Structure formats: C-alpha cells, structure tokens
Amino acid sequence: MKDKINDAFKAVTTLIKTHPYYLLLLLPCILLDLSTRFSGFKVTFGPIYDITPLLFTILYEFLFIGIAVNLRPLAGKILIWIMFIISFFLFMLNVIYYSLTNFYFSFNLLLLADEGSSYIWDTIVNTNPIIYAVAAVLLGLSIFIIITCIPHIEFKKKTNFKGILFVIVVFVIMHLVIPLTYGPANKELTWSSFKNKRNVYNEFSDVNKCMRITGIFEYTTRNFYTTFIKSKEKISKDDKAFLDNEYSQKLTDKNKYTGMFKDKNLIILQLEGMDSWMLTKDNTPNLYSLKSESIDMSTNHFSLYTGGGSTFNSEFAVNTGYTTPTTFIENVYNLHSNTYDTTLPKLFKNHGYDVNAYHMNNGDFYSRSANYHSWGYDNYYSLKEIAKYSDKFEYELDRNLILNKDFNEKIFNHKSRFVDYIISYTPHTPFSTHDRVGKLLAKLNFGDKVPDMDEEDVAKMMASETDKMVGLLVDELKKRDLYDDTVILAFADHYLYTINNKAVLEKYKISRDNRINNTPLFIWSSDIDHKIIKKVNMQMDILPTVLNLFGIEYNPAHLIGSDILDGKDGLAYFSDYSWYDGKTYVSNGKVTDGKDVSKSYLTKTSQKVKNLINKNDLTLKYNYWFDENK
C-alpha cells in the first residue's frame, strides 16, 4: 500500500514537471480567492497572504482538476468550466455584498430571503464600478488561461474511478490536516477566544474572520455546512414549554418616569474599568458633576464579571437585555447570528432615531462589527479605522474620541434624533507609567518629570483621561445646541479586576463576595432633579429602564431584566447562582451576609434566579426568537 501511494505521488510530481499547464490552471481560482479576501482589507484578523487559506484553495482545485482529468475529455472540460463559473460567481457574490455591507455573504441570509429580496437589484446597480472593472480583468485573464491550458490537459479515454477515489481520499486527508496550521483551540471559555484562529474556524460564526483565514472555497463549503447540514441540538419539550410560558406573559408596566425623556437624543457612555472608587469629585470632576445632577442608580448597581469577557458582556447585556450564558459554554460575541428583535438600537430605530456605535478599537475585536450590525446599529465606527496617529497609543487616549474631527462629526452631526453608544478605553491594564498608554499619558500630564506612581495612582490618572473626554463631550453638546435635548447614560463595564494589587480593591469595596461587582450607573439630563435610587439592579435592567424613560413600548416579559424605576424590589444574581436583594446576600442556598430571611423567601428567590438564568441561556442557545418568527 505504501509503495502504491509513493508511486501515485511520483506520478503527480512527474505530471506537474512535464505539464506546467496543470499548475497554470490553478491561477484563475487563486486570483479570485486573493481578490475576494483583499476586498475585505478593513478586516485586520490575519494577513491576506496567510498560507492556510491558500492551502485550502489549492486543495479544492486539486479536487476539481483531479476529478476532471480522470473523466472523459468532454466531461472533464465541462467540469473545469463549471468549477470556474462557480468560483467567479462566488467571487462576485462576496465582493459585491461586502462592498455595500462590509460583511461577506452568508447562507444564513437565505433564511431571511424575503427581507432582502427587495433591494437585491439596488445592491447590484449601486456597487462601486471599480469592482466591476477588476472583475472584468479577472474574467478575461481567467478565460484566456483556461482556453490556453485545456488543450494541453491529458484526460482519460474512459472514466478512471480509481483515480477519482484516490483524489477524494487525498482531499479528505489533507482537509483534516490543514486546520492544524491554526494551532490548538482554547479548551475553556476565555475572553480572548476571538483571537484564536482555531476557535474562529471551529465556531465559524464571524463571516469576515472566517473568509480571511479559510479562503473563498473552504469558507463557502463550511458556511453551507454550518448553516444547513451541521446538526443543531434540538430544544426539549420541557425547555420549549418553559420558554413558551415565560414569553407568553403579556406584562405592561408604566410609572411616573414613563416617557420622561421622550423624543430626546441619547448618548450612552460605557466606561472601561471605571470602578466606583475611581469616580470622585477630585479625580473625575466632569463625571462627578453629571452624577450629582442625575438619577443615580449606582448604590446597588452590579456589572457581571464573566470569564467570557466582561467588557463585551456589558455591551451585549445593555443592547440585547440578555447576558453571557451560565449553563453552557459560549462567548456572547459568537451569538450575532441569533435573531434579536427587541434590541436597544432596533427599538429606537423604529422611532426614527439614527443609532451608531463608537470605539477606539477595530471592528474585528470581539467581532464588534458583526454584533453591532446584528443588533441593528446603523454603523460601528472605529477610531483606528478612521484616524491616523504617529504614536499607536494615541488611539487609547479617550480624549481623541471627541478631538478627532472626523470622529467628532460622526458623533454629533445628525439629521435626526440620535443614539450614540460610546465605549471608552483608557483605564486599561497595564497600570504603569512605563508602558503603553500609561507612559504616554504620564508624559502628557507631567512632562519629563514623572513622579513615582503605584497602580492605584496610575488607574486614577487613566480615569481622569476618560473624564477629560466626558468634559469635551459636554462642551460639544453646548456648542452644537444639543445640551438641553440630550440625555447621557453612563455606566462601567466592570469593576477594576485587572489591577494586580488587589489590596486596592479591598480598601474601597466589599471584596469577600460577588458584591465586588458594584459599579457606577446614572442617567443625566439638564432638566431633572438629582435622585438616588438604592434599588438593586444590574446590566440587564438598563435596557428596560431606558425604554420606559423614552416612552418606547416593549413587553417586559421579552427581556431578562426589569425597569429599575418601577418601584418594585430589585435583585442581582451572579453566574454561581448567588444573589443579593439589597439586604441579604445568599450563596449556595444559604444566607452568608446581611439580614436573615424566611425559608420560603429563600426558596422562592433562589428559584426565581434559576428561572432567569434558564430563560436567558435557553433563549440564546436555541435562538428562540428566530424559531418563533419563522
């Protein structure tokens, strides 16, 4: 057997040496693949010249050409032309779709064909003419190469089934080997899984990353497989009945805050690492001023910390009303193919708002471009993709979110009412004046005479940079006559768990249990009186609270959280099923701190937590809303 395999490889090698036309015949599809991936030059995940997608492309051509040469001449020639026609069609489909949406085509779109059919023609007509010019050149060159090569290809006089079988076996073996070039996948849930190529390949959810690391042929094949063939775990009758019951409740809640901010603009500030002890009058005067004039819900607000990435988990919770799953392992940035009909951007867009998101980092990070698109945002804007700075760490200075002229115009220049979702960055590890943005910021603040600063001092200095951005934002609102028509909601994505010196946290916070997750949350408008809300709340409660304040109708049963201002008792729960109601902290079914409670209350509340976690997880796991809307 070994000798036969060696003989076969020698035959292939000899064939290529004596007939270079076989190699030349690979060129059209390689060019189409490279051109497809190059069209997504904005995608920063993996270089275009990466070897793995090229290996996949060559492998698929080996399959088609290998089968073709083992057929009779007419059948072999037809197969070669079919291969090229399919390749060219895939090229055109992806580059046209990407040019208008910044995403490659996915077969998931066919499941929603009715929604997109109305603008297919407009898409084709409005595509950048340069794409058609490049396509014409590639088409002409490819046809010339194929016409030149085919007369020199040696086809079989009759179909060689053994040869075809050999080609298929080699294809299958190599198809199993090539993904090994990505390296191993993460075995556990980590925040950085989105950076691991093998994770991206296995999950195959982010279309842009997948196209970049696999090439057009493997991308199309695997996308088709994951969409239509890959077996998906079916929801059990009990789980389906549970969700049907949860979502069947027709709840309507109105209170004295309903519609308070109706028709105003909204700016949401997600403040990276802005722990409660960092937001003070001396350290962050602009944020402190807004907080002291706001509806302040910080006393018992909790931001969930999860191993899947707390920053993006907060984005997910505020925008969708759901949170990172507890009962199964999945990073929420892989869930953008789910159906979300009650997201913050979609509901505001239904009321005529422009809805856009802004951050320093590229859209590939946490697959934000894909996620913000699926949630319903008009655009996700990255400072890195718009601005040019000589020092790469200038992007990490929050002030530049406002000072950059192009970014500034996108944030403030709207023709209608708007929602701006702005994510800050500067208070980010490492907290040192000798590295990254800490070093740059220290130089800007102190010149060449930087004082000795420990982690706590550096963290506060970084927080003051975020505060500078907030001050610039408020000044810009006044300058553009938007000050009295705009509401600002500010919250922290997580407590500062990234600081190495945990003694700092112990100095300022309850650190013995999950209450360490206490972070700021407040909502400001120039025409309201300061009010402190002590009700326990968490990230999932932000969406229903905002919707009620802006008079946007929704079904509370369709969300996990509840309106913080509804006057009812609040509850915060965590991934280990512990919970806190403002007076009692319960862990492992037992009161571990605070006021003692009755056994019935303990059982009832613990069951409520379990139901909320199940509702959250089952909805996300089985894409419940998509199934219901089909």
Side-chain angles (χ1 to χ4, degrees), residues 242-255:
F242 169 78
L243 288 180
D244 288 344
N245 178 65
E246 287 290 320
Y247 288 115
S248 66
Q249 303 173 48
K250 304 291 184 181
L251 303 177
T252 55
D253 275 337
K254 290 188 178 181
N255 52 56

Side-chain angles (χ1 to χ4, degrees), residues 98-296:
Y98 185 90
S99 71
L100 294 186
T101 66
N102 289 323
F103 295 99
Y104 289 110
F105 175 81
S106 171
F107 287 108
N108 279 324
L109 297 170
L110 298 180
L111 302 177
L112 304 170
D114 291 342
E115 296 182 17
S117 58
S118 60
Y119 57 81
I120 288 177
W121 179 248
D122 288 337
T123 299
I124 295 173
V125 170
N126 294 312
T127 298
N128 192 325
I130 295 177
I131 289 176
Y132 290 117
V134 172
V137 172
L138 289 173
L139 179 63
L141 179 61
S142 298
I143 290 175
F144 172 77
I145 291 173
I146 294 172
I147 290 175
T148 301
C149 290
I150 281 183
H152 300 277
I153 301 298
E154 294 183 359
F155 299 98
K156 300 298 181 181
K157 293 181 179 180
K158 62 178 183 179
T159 303
N160 180 9
F161 291 104
K162 289 185 179 180
I164 292 174
L165 180 60
F166 170 77
V167 169
I168 293 174
V169 170
V170 172
F171 174 85
V172 171
I173 293 173
M174 292 306 297
H175 192 272
L176 295 173
V177 171
I178 291 176
L180 298 178
T181 62
Y182 297 132
N186 294 124
K187 294 181 179 180
E188 298 178 353
L189 183 70
T190 64
W191 73 271
S192 58
S193 293
F194 72 94
K195 292 183 175 183
N196 185 310
K197 291 182 180 180
R198 188 58 187 262
N199 280 85
V200 172
Y201 179 78
N202 290 345
E203 292 151 1
F204 224 81
S205 60
D206 188 315
V207 292
N208 289 348
K209 290 180 180 178
C210 292
M211 177 66 83
R212 179 58 70 88
I213 67 170
T214 62
I216 191 171
F217 299 106
E218 176 65 3
Y219 170 83
T220 303
T221 303
R222 190 157 177 80
N223 183 254
F224 184 89
Y225 166 75
T226 55
T227 304
F228 298 114
I229 300 175
K230 184 179 180 181
S231 60
K232 296 179 175 61
E233 186 178 351
K234 293 184 178 180
I235 189 169
S236 69
K237 289 183 179 180
D238 289 343
D239 288 342
K240 180 72 162 55
F242 169 78
L243 288 180
D244 288 344
N245 178 65
E246 287 290 320
Y247 288 115
S248 66
Q249 303 173 48
K250 304 291 184 181
L251 303 177
T252 55
D253 275 337
K254 290 188 178 181
N255 52 56
K256 64 181 181 180
Y257 295 96
T258 302
M260 174 183 283
F261 300 139
K262 186 174 177 61
D263 295 330
K264 285 198 171 192
N265 304 308
L266 172 63
I267 293 178
I268 300 176
L269 297 176
Q270 178 172 312
L271 306 173
E272 167 68 38
M274 187 63 69
D275 211 337
S276 51
W277 55 272
M278 301 164 73
L279 203 162
T280 65
K281 185 175 182 179
D282 293 333
N283 192 53
T284 55
N286 295 303
L287 281 167
Y288 185 86
S289 177
L290 291 178
K291 187 171 181 285
S292 63
E293 299 170 359
S294 70
I295 300 175
D296 185 0

Side-chain angles (χ1 to χ4, degrees), residues 51 89 95 113 136 154 310 345 355 375 457 460 476 479 486 490 528 531 556 605:
I51 187 64
F89 173 77
V95 296
E154 294 183 359
S310 296
V355 186
W375 299 339
D457 292 333
K460 289 180 178 179
E476 195 69 22
K479 177 182 174 182
T486 301
I528 62 172
K531 187 176 182 64
T605 307

Side-chain angles (χ1 to χ4, degrees), residues 57-113:
T57 296
I58 293 173
L59 181 63
Y60 275 90
E61 291 191 72
F62 164 79
L63 175 67
F64 281 107
I65 296 174
I67 293 175
V69 299
N70 281 286
L71 297 174
R72 294 181 179 183
L74 180 59
K77 292 174 183 178
I78 291 174
L79 182 59
I80 289 174
W81 280 109
I82 289 175
M83 176 191 70
F84 172 70
I85 291 170
I86 292 174
S87 302
F88 191 78
F89 173 77
L90 293 175
F91 161 73
M92 292 299 297
L93 178 66
N94 281 284
V95 296
I96 288 176
Y97 192 75
Y98 185 90
S99 71
L100 294 186
T101 66
N102 289 323
F103 295 99
Y104 289 110
F105 175 81
S106 171
F107 287 108
N108 279 324
L109 297 170
L110 298 180
L111 302 177
L112 304 170

Side-chain angles (χ1 to χ4, degrees), residues 446-515:
F446 304 106
D448 295 329
K449 297 182 179 180
V450 178
D452 290 332
M453 302 177 71
D454 58 20
E455 275 196 302
E456 180 181 348
D457 292 333
V458 176
K460 289 180 178 179
M461 178 182 68
M462 290 178 170
S464 68
E465 170 64 17
T466 300
D467 189 68
K468 183 185 292 290
M469 178 270 289
V470 174
L472 292 169
L473 183 147
V474 172
D475 289 343
E476 195 69 22
L477 290 175
K478 293 177 179 178
K479 177 182 174 182
R480 292 178 180 259
D481 198 26
L482 294 169
Y483 184 78
D484 292 324
D485 297 321
T486 301
V487 174
I488 298 176
L489 182 145
F491 71 98
D493 56 348
H494 54 75
Y495 78 97
L496 206 66
Y497 65 88
T498 52
I499 196 167
N500 290 320
N501 184 6
K502 304 306 179 186
V504 175
L505 300 177
E506 293 170 0
K507 181 168 68 171
Y508 291 109
K509 303 173 71 72
I510 296 176
S511 60
R512 60 183 174 271
D513 54 47
N514 281 311
R515 285 175 292 178

Side-chain angles (χ1 to χ4, degrees), residues 11-28 30 61 65 69 145-146 148-154:
V12 172
T13 305
T14 303
L15 187 65
I16 291 174
K17 288 180 179 179
T18 56
H19 298 280
Y21 294 100
Y22 288 93
L23 279 179
L24 188 59
L25 199 57
L26 301 176
L27 189 58
I30 290 176
E61 291 191 72
I65 296 174
V69 299
I145 291 173
I146 294 172
T148 301
C149 290
I150 281 183
H152 300 277
I153 301 298
E154 294 183 359

